[in-house]
Every structure is written in structure tokens, then in C-alpha cells.
């Protein structure tokens, strides 16, 4: 049976890119593979980027990211879901991989280059970020990794690290494959400035737990197809952010009405955005209600995460034992 692993950073509010690109796949794969699907909130990763990390807020954000995943349908009775720093083996395996990974490979990572470009002093942890990711995945010998397209390069590096370890120390790890939500590879930001991203701040994101009136304020001013200067100018919904979002949220008859209305200038962009808002309301309202219930029961959330960490450790410990032995550390 496949073993699934994925992680999500508690660096900002979870947005519809995270939700359609990754979180929905966690739930879907969890329904199929049960306790062979392992997910975690990666707080160790979150401290590598000084621009997005606040020690006073980290624990709260970690809980909030857990709440979002539970509210989106992740069931701790069916899958394993925990917080990365609760399982110290992630760091232990990461160090072993650090010793195997050429610095040049890490310096080539696109996300590293993007993030480092904005920093005056680059923490070594930012460079090592993908090594820790490889440790996350391989600690559970996972072969299936649900992610958005932006993680492709990191998963390729994970495969290289697995190969190198196996070559150096003998066959130990699988070479994992990324799996994508094919309709949500790279969801654009609502500001029209490329990919939706937590690290670009609230202006780019539509949060899944964001109040609906705040979402509407962002949509109202969101750019549309520039061809539609006047309401009477026809447009192309395939070239429009709002068209992209309709495909995620709206049912087929609504998409038909909105897309035809856009192409024939039968409707204006505000009408089209209002139709989209209906789909958003339908999708997010139940999720936000579940999140409110969970926030009212913090003990349940903490207990579920503690149980998840226990289950994760039970898998991680023997794998780490095997690694220690193969690497040649003294056993006492
Ligand atoms: P993070 O927290 O940035 O994002 C979580 C997941 O959401 C996906 N995603 C998107 N998908 C589609 N469109 C978008 N605009 C969009 N923005 C984000 C991401 O691809 C990701 O799947 N490095 C990872 C966390 C991580 C991890 C791991 C993932 C740590 N260890 C091990 C897989 C396996 C990250 O930054 O996720």
C-alpha cells in the first residue's frame, strides 16, 4: 500500500491555494489510505524564514493551521496528523541527509533563491530547508507526496537524497513521487501578481477561514481581463483570475452562464464576481462553522495532535534506528 506524507507551514493563514492545491488531496488520500497517510504542520520549517516568523505567534498559528485542516475534513481517527517539532527524529534524519547533500544542489533551488534575494543575511536553515523536507518524507518511507506544483523541485531533490543514501548505505528508502490536484496546480493570487502565496501577505490571498465580507472586498477590486475596459467590451474568461476561481468554486451551469456572459459582454465583471461569491460562500461556510466549533474546544485539538505525534513517533523510531545502524554510529 502506498504511504502518503505531506506538510504545511504555519507561516500565515491557510488560503485557497493551499486548500485546492494540497489540503483537499490530504483528505482524499486519507480516505483511501487511512493511517498510511501522514500529515504534519511543519513548524521547524516556519522558523527558517525571518520575514515570516514571529516566536510570540508560532504556537497559536500552529494550532490555527491544525484547526483549518481538521475543519477541511482531516479526521485524526483515520489519518496521522501531528506537529513536526513534536517528533525530534525529523531533525535527526535531516542532519544525516545534510551530510550527504551537495551545497550546490541546494543553492540551485528556485524557492531558496527567491526567498534569499529579499534578505540581507541569509540563515543557513533557509538553504537546508529542502533537506529537512526530504527527512520529513523519508522518515516514514513515504512514496506519495500530495503538493502544489511549486514543490516539484524539492520532491526531485528528495528522490536524489534517497538515491544517494541507498547507494552509500544500502537500499533503505523509496524514491517518492509528487501527486498534484490537476485542476489546482498553481492558483493565482487575488492581486493578479502571480501565484497566491502566504509569504506575499494578505493582499495576495483568499483565506479559507477569512470572513466572507473581507473576501468580497478583495474580489471587488481584483483585476479582470484587461480587454473589458467598458461593460460592453467582450472578454475572455480563460484570461481572467475570476474565471480561474470560478472553475474551483462554481458548478457547471454557473460557469456556463458566467463564461458566456463574459464572452458576449452580456454580464459585467461585478455580476461575474457576485456569482463567484455564491460558490465561495457554499464551499467555505460549512468549513468556517466547523473551525469555530473546534476553536471552542482547544482540548480536543491538542489531544488529537498529541495522539498524532505518538503514532508518528512509532513509525519514525525504528526507521531512525535502521539509519543509525547503517551510518555506523556506536550502539551502547
Ligand atoms: P506551504 O505551507 O507553502 O504550502 C502548503 C501546500 O500548499 C501548496 N500551495 C499551492 N498549491 C496551488 N496553488 C498555490 N498558489 C499554492 N500555494 C501553496 C504547496 O505546494 C504545498 O503543497 N515546503 C512545503 C511544506 C513541507 C512539505 C514537507 C511538503 C515541509 N515538509 C514534506 C511536502 C512534504 C511548503 O512550503 O508548503
Amino acid at each position: 500500500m502506498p504511504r502518503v506524507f505531506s506538510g504545511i507551514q504555519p507561516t500565515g493563514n491557510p488560503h485557497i491555494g493551499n486548500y485546492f492545491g494540497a489540503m483537499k488531496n490530504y483528505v482524499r488520500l486519507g480516505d483511501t489510505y487511512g493511517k498510511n497517510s501522514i500529515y504534519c504542520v511543519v513548524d521547524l520549517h516556519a522558523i527558517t524564514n525571518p520575514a515570516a516568523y514571529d516566536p510570540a505567534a508560532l504556537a497559536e498559528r500552529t494550532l490555527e493551521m491544525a484547526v483549518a485542516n481538521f475543519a477541511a475534513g482531516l479526521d485524526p481517527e483515520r489519518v496521522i496528523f501531528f506537529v513536526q517539532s513534536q517528533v525530534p527524529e525529523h531533525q535527526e534524519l535531516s542532519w544525516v541527509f545534510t551530510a550527504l547533500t551537495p551545497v550546490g544542489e541546494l543553492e540551485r533551488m528556485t524557492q531558496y533563491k527567491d526567498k534569499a534575494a529579499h534578505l540581507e543575511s541569509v540563515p543557513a536553515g533557509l538553504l537546508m530547508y529542502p533537506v529537512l523536507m526530504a527527512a520529513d518524507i523519508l522518515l516514514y518511507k513515504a512514496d506519495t507526496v500530495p503538493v502544489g506544483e511549486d514543490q516539484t523541485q524539492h520532491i526531485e531533490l528528495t528522490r536524489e537524497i534517497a538515491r544517494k543514501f541507498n547507494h552509500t548505505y544500502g537500499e533503505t528508502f523509496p524514491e517518492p513521487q509528487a501527486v498534484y490536484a490537476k485542476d489546482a496546480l498553481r492558483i493565482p493570487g487575488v492581486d493578479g501578481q502571480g501565484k497566491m502565496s502566504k509569504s506575499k501577505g494578505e493582499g495576495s490571498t483568499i483565506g479559507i477561514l477569512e470572513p466572507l465580507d473581507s473576501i468580497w472586498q478583495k474580489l471587488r477590486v481584483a483585476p479582470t481581463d484587461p480587454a473589458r475596459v467598458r461593460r460592453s467590451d467582450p472578454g475572455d474568461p480563460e484570461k481572467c483570475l475570476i474565471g480561474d476561481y470560478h472553475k474551483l468554486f462554481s458548478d457547471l451551469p454557473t460557469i456556463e452562464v458566467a463564461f458566456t456572459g463574459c464572452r458576449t459582454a452580456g454580464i459585467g465583471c461585478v455580476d461575474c464576481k457576485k456569482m463567484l461569491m455564491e460558490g465561495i460562500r457554499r464551499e467555505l461556510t460549512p468549513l468556517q462553522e466547523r473551525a469555530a466549533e473546534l476553536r471552542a474546544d482547544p482540548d480536543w485539538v491538542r489531544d488529537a495532535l498529541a495522539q498524532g505525534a505518538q503514532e508518528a513517533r512509532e513509525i519514525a523510531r525504528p526507521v531512525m534506528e535502521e539509519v543509525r545502524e547503517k551510518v555506523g554510529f556506536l550502539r551502547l
Side-chain angles (χ1 to χ4, degrees):
M1 194 197 259
R3 163 82 45 89
V4 181
F5 182 94
S6 198
I8 187 160
Q9 289 197 74
T11 39
N13 296 319
H15 54 66
I16 62 169
N18 302 133
Y19 179 65
F20 288 102
M23 291 163 69
K24 284 194 110 170
N25 251 350
Y26 305 166
V27 177
R28 188 178 61 80
L29 292 165
D31 287 343
T32 312
Y33 300 119
K35 292 281 175 190
N36 264 322
S37 25
I38 305 170
Y39 305 113
C40 85
V41 183
V42 291
D43 52 351
L44 299 172
H45 281 100
I47 68 169
T48 59
N49 188 351
Y53 162 49
D54 170 9
L58 183 62
E60 200 48 50
R61 287 201 160 163
T62 302
L63 283 174
E64 198 45 24
M65 187 53 84
V67 162
N69 278 278
F70 290 138
L74 216 56
D75 178 355
E77 294 291 324
R78 298 189 69 169
V79 305
I80 298 179
F81 183 58
F82 66 102
V83 176
Q84 187 188 30
S85 64
Q86 297 287 313
V87 181
E89 283 85 354
H90 287 250
Q91 306 181 50
E92 194 178 350
L93 185 56
S94 180
W95 182 250
V96 173
F97 289 167
T98 299
L100 280 178
T101 310
V103 171
E105 296 273 315
L106 296 170
E107 283 170 338
R108 283 198 302 108
M109 295 289 121
T110 316
Q111 286 207 340
Y112 167 73
K113 288 194 279 191
D114 288 350
K115 289 196 173 134
H118 297 108
L119 297 171
E120 211 170 290
S121 161
V122 180
L126 199 59
L127 185 65
M128 295 305 149
Y129 182 110
V131 180
L132 180 57
M133 259 184 84
D136 295 339
I137 299 165
L138 297 175
L139 183 56
Y140 303 96
K141 299 195 174 181
D143 46 30
T144 305
V145 188
V147 281
E149 199 184 28
D150 60 349
Q151 298 301 315
T152 303
Q153 207 183 20
H154 292 160
I155 310 300
E156 271 164 19
L157 183 71
T158 300
R159 276 208 296 281
E160 273 171 45
I161 291 175
R163 222 175 290 137
K164 190 136 185 212
F165 187 99
N166 292 343
H167 181 77
T168 311
Y169 298 113
E171 199 58 33
T172 309
F173 294 115
E175 289 181 29
Q177 297 283 344
V179 296
Y180 307 105
K182 59 180 184 319
D183 304 325
L185 290 172
R186 191 174 189 277
I187 294 173
V190 69
D191 54 0
Q193 306 290 311
K195 191 190 77 163
M196 182 174 294
S197 165
K198 286 183 286 217
S199 55
K200 288 187 194 156
E202 294 284 312
S204 131
T205 61
I206 291 180
I208 57 172
L209 301 179
E210 185 169 347
L212 296 176
D213 50 341
S214 161
I215 294 179
W216 173 246
Q217 294 312 322
K218 289 180 184 173
L219 282 181
R220 218 170 42 85
V221 296
T224 54
D225 179 2
R228 299 208 69 182
V229 182
R230 283 173 298 266
R231 193 185 185 286
S232 52
D233 296 329
D236 181 353
E238 299 294 344
K239 289 189 190 145
C240 177
L241 195 60
I242 305 301
D244 290 339
Y245 293 166
H246 266 299
K247 290 183 196 159
L248 301 171
F249 286 104
S250 301
D251 52 26
L252 284 175
T254 308
I255 294 177
E256 179 63 30
V257 171
F259 281 30
T260 307
C262 176
R263 289 193 182 103
T264 58
I267 62 167
C269 292
V270 176
D271 304 320
C272 182
K273 288 173 174 178
K274 283 186 181 153
M275 284 182 211
L276 169 63
M277 202 56 215
E278 269 319 298
I280 293 181
R281 188 185 318 276
R282 200 172 42 238
E283 181 84 22
L284 296 188
T285 301
L287 199 151
Q288 297 191 354
E289 284 170 0
R290 280 196 296 277
E293 285 165 23
L294 290 163
R295 284 195 200 104
D297 194 356
D299 288 347
W300 184 90
V301 175
R302 283 173 184 272
D303 288 351
L305 291 172
Q307 181 204 313
Q310 179 99 27
E311 291 169 340
R313 254 180 253 128
E314 270 159 35
I315 303 174
R317 210 175 289 130
V319 174
M320 205 53 229
E321 268 307 306
E322 183 186 351
V323 168
R324 287 168 148 269
E325 186 168 335
K326 285 184 169 162
V327 171
F329 291 133
L330 174 67
R331 292 176 64 121
L332 296 173

Coordinates of all heavy atoms in Angstrom, one line a residue, residues 67-99:
V67 N -6.4 23.5 13.1 CA -7.8 23.7 13.1 C -8.3 23.7 11.6 O -9.3 23.1 11.3 CB -8.2 24.9 13.8 CG1 -9.6 25.4 13.5 CG2 -8.1 24.7 15.4
A68 N -7.6 24.5 10.8 CA -8.0 24.6 9.4 C -8.1 23.2 8.7 O -9.0 22.9 7.9 CB -7.1 25.5 8.6
N69 N -7.1 22.4 9.0 CA -7.0 21.1 8.3 C -8.1 20.2 8.9 O -8.7 19.4 8.1 CB -5.6 20.4 8.5 CG -4.7 20.9 7.5 OD1 -4.7 20.5 6.3 ND2 -3.9 21.9 7.8
F70 N -8.4 20.2 10.2 CA -9.5 19.4 10.7 C -10.8 19.9 10.1 O -11.6 19.1 9.7 CB -9.5 19.5 12.3 CG -8.4 18.8 13.0 CD1 -7.8 19.4 14.1 CD2 -8.0 17.6 12.6 CE1 -6.7 18.8 14.8 CE2 -6.9 16.9 13.3 CZ -6.3 17.5 14.4
A71 N -10.9 21.2 10.0 CA -12.2 21.8 9.5 C -12.4 21.4 8.0 O -13.5 21.2 7.6 CB -12.2 23.3 9.7
A72 N -11.3 21.3 7.3 CA -11.4 20.9 5.9 C -11.7 19.4 5.7 O -11.8 19.0 4.6 CB -10.1 21.3 5.2
G73 N -11.7 18.7 6.8 CA -12.1 17.3 6.7 C -11.1 16.2 7.1 O -11.4 15.0 7.0
L74 N -9.9 16.7 7.6 CA -9.0 15.7 8.0 C -9.4 15.1 9.3 O -9.7 15.8 10.3 CB -7.6 16.4 8.2 CG -6.4 15.6 7.8 CD1 -6.5 15.1 6.3 CD2 -5.1 16.5 7.9
D75 N -9.5 13.8 9.4 CA -10.0 13.1 10.6 C -8.9 12.4 11.3 O -8.3 11.4 10.8 CB -11.1 12.1 10.1 CG -11.7 11.3 11.3 OD1 -11.2 11.5 12.4 OD2 -12.6 10.5 11.0
P76 N -8.5 12.9 12.5 CA -7.4 12.3 13.2 C -7.6 10.8 13.6 O -6.7 10.1 14.0 CB -7.3 13.2 14.5 CG -8.6 13.8 14.7 CD -9.2 13.9 13.3
E77 N -8.9 10.4 13.6 CA -9.1 8.9 13.8 C -8.7 8.1 12.7 O -8.4 6.9 12.8 CB -10.6 8.7 14.1 CG -11.1 9.3 15.4 CD -10.6 8.7 16.6 OE1 -10.4 7.4 16.6 OE2 -10.3 9.4 17.6
R78 N -8.7 8.7 11.5 CA -8.5 7.9 10.2 C -7.0 8.1 9.7 O -6.5 7.2 9.1 CB -9.4 8.4 9.1 CG -10.9 8.1 9.5 CD -11.8 8.3 8.3 NE -11.6 7.3 7.3 CZ -12.4 7.1 6.3 NH1 -13.4 7.9 6.1 NH2 -12.1 6.2 5.4
V79 N -6.5 9.3 9.9 CA -5.1 9.6 9.4 C -4.2 9.9 10.5 O -4.6 9.9 11.7 CB -5.1 10.7 8.4 CG1 -6.1 10.5 7.3 CG2 -5.3 12.1 9.1
I80 N -2.9 10.1 10.2 CA -2.0 10.5 11.3 C -1.7 12.0 11.0 O -1.3 12.4 9.9 CB -0.7 9.7 11.3 CG1 -1.0 8.3 11.6 CG2 0.3 10.3 12.3 CD1 0.2 7.3 11.5
F81 N -2.0 12.9 12.0 CA -1.8 14.3 11.8 C -1.1 14.9 13.0 O -1.7 14.7 14.1 CB -3.1 15.0 11.5 CG -3.0 16.5 11.2 CD1 -2.3 16.9 10.2 CD2 -3.7 17.4 12.0 CE1 -2.2 18.3 9.9 CE2 -3.6 18.7 11.8 CZ -2.9 19.2 10.7
F82 N 0.0 15.6 12.9 CA 0.7 16.0 14.1 C 1.5 17.3 13.8 O 1.5 17.8 12.6 CB 1.7 14.9 14.5 CG 2.7 14.5 13.5 CD1 4.1 15.0 13.7 CD2 2.5 13.8 12.4 CE1 5.1 14.7 12.8 CE2 3.5 13.5 11.4 CZ 4.8 14.0 11.7
V83 N 2.3 17.7 14.8 CA 3.1 18.9 14.6 C 4.6 18.4 14.6 O 5.1 17.7 15.4 CB 2.9 19.9 15.8 CG1 3.9 21.1 15.7 CG2 1.5 20.4 15.8
Q84 N 5.3 18.9 13.5 CA 6.7 18.4 13.2 C 7.6 18.4 14.4 O 8.3 17.5 14.7 CB 7.2 19.2 12.1 CG 8.5 18.8 11.5 CD 8.9 19.9 10.5 OE1 8.6 21.1 10.7 NE2 9.6 19.5 9.4
S85 N 7.6 19.5 15.2 CA 8.6 19.7 16.3 C 8.4 18.7 17.4 O 9.2 18.5 18.3 CB 8.7 21.1 16.8 OG 7.4 21.4 17.4
Q86 N 7.2 18.0 17.4 CA 6.9 17.0 18.4 C 7.5 15.7 18.1 O 7.5 14.8 19.0 CB 5.4 16.8 18.5 CG 4.6 18.0 18.9 CD 4.7 18.4 20.3 OE1 4.6 17.5 21.2 NE2 5.0 19.6 20.7
V87 N 8.1 15.5 16.9 CA 8.8 14.3 16.6 C 10.2 14.6 16.2 O 10.6 14.9 15.1 CB 8.0 13.6 15.4 CG1 8.7 12.3 15.1 CG2 6.6 13.4 15.7
P88 N 11.1 14.5 17.2 CA 12.5 15.0 17.1 C 13.3 14.3 16.0 O 14.3 14.8 15.5 CB 13.2 14.8 18.4 CG 12.1 14.4 19.4 CD 10.9 14.1 18.6
E89 N 12.8 13.1 15.6 CA 13.5 12.3 14.6 C 13.6 13.0 13.3 O 14.5 12.8 12.4 CB 12.9 10.9 14.4 CG 13.2 9.9 15.4 CD 12.2 10.0 16.7 OE1 11.4 11.0 16.7 OE2 12.3 9.1 17.5
H90 N 12.7 14.0 13.0 CA 12.8 14.8 11.8 C 14.1 15.5 11.7 O 14.8 15.5 10.7 CB 11.7 15.8 11.7 CG 10.3 15.2 11.4 ND1 9.7 15.3 10.2 CD2 9.5 14.4 12.1 CE1 8.5 14.7 10.2 NE2 8.4 14.1 11.4
Q91 N 14.5 16.0 12.8 CA 15.8 16.8 12.9 C 17.0 15.9 12.8 O 18.0 16.2 12.2 CB 15.8 17.7 14.1 CG 14.6 18.5 14.3 CD 14.6 19.4 15.5 OE1 15.6 20.1 15.8 NE2 13.6 19.4 16.3
E92 N 16.9 14.7 13.4 CA 18.0 13.8 13.5 C 18.3 13.3 12.1 O 19.4 13.3 11.6 CB 17.6 12.7 14.4 CG 18.8 11.8 14.8 CD 18.5 10.7 15.8 OE1 17.3 10.7 16.3 OE2 19.3 9.8 16.0
L93 N 17.2 12.9 11.3 CA 17.4 12.4 10.0 C 17.9 13.5 9.1 O 18.7 13.3 8.2 CB 16.1 11.8 9.4 CG 16.3 11.1 8.1 CD1 17.3 10.0 8.1 CD2 14.9 10.5 7.6
S94 N 17.4 14.7 9.3 CA 17.8 15.9 8.5 C 19.3 16.1 8.5 O 19.9 16.4 7.5 CB 17.0 17.1 9.0 OG 17.4 18.2 8.2
W95 N 19.9 15.9 9.7 CA 21.3 16.1 9.8 C 22.1 15.1 9.0 O 23.1 15.4 8.4 CB 21.8 16.1 11.3 CG 23.2 16.3 11.4 CD1 24.2 15.4 11.8 CD2 23.9 17.5 11.1 NE1 25.4 16.0 11.7 CE2 25.3 17.3 11.3 CE3 23.5 18.8 10.7 CZ2 26.3 18.3 11.1 CZ3 24.5 19.8 10.5 CH2 25.8 19.5 10.7
V96 N 21.7 13.8 9.1 CA 22.3 12.8 8.3 C 22.3 13.1 6.8 O 23.2 13.0 6.1 CB 21.7 11.4 8.6 CG1 22.2 10.3 7.6 CG2 21.9 11.0 10.0
F97 N 21.1 13.6 6.4 CA 21.0 14.0 5.0 C 21.8 15.2 4.6 O 22.3 15.4 3.5 CB 19.5 14.3 4.6 CG 18.6 13.0 4.6 CD1 17.2 13.1 4.5 CD2 19.2 11.7 4.5 CE1 16.4 12.0 4.5 CE2 18.4 10.6 4.5 CZ 17.0 10.7 4.4
T98 N 21.9 16.1 5.6 CA 22.7 17.3 5.4 C 24.2 16.9 5.0 O 24.8 17.5 4.1 CB 22.8 18.2 6.6 OG1 21.4 18.6 6.9 CG2 23.6 19.5 6.4
A99 N 24.6 15.9 5.6 CA 26.0 15.4 5.4 C 26.1 14.8 4.0 O 27.2 14.6 3.5 CB 26.4 14.4 6.5

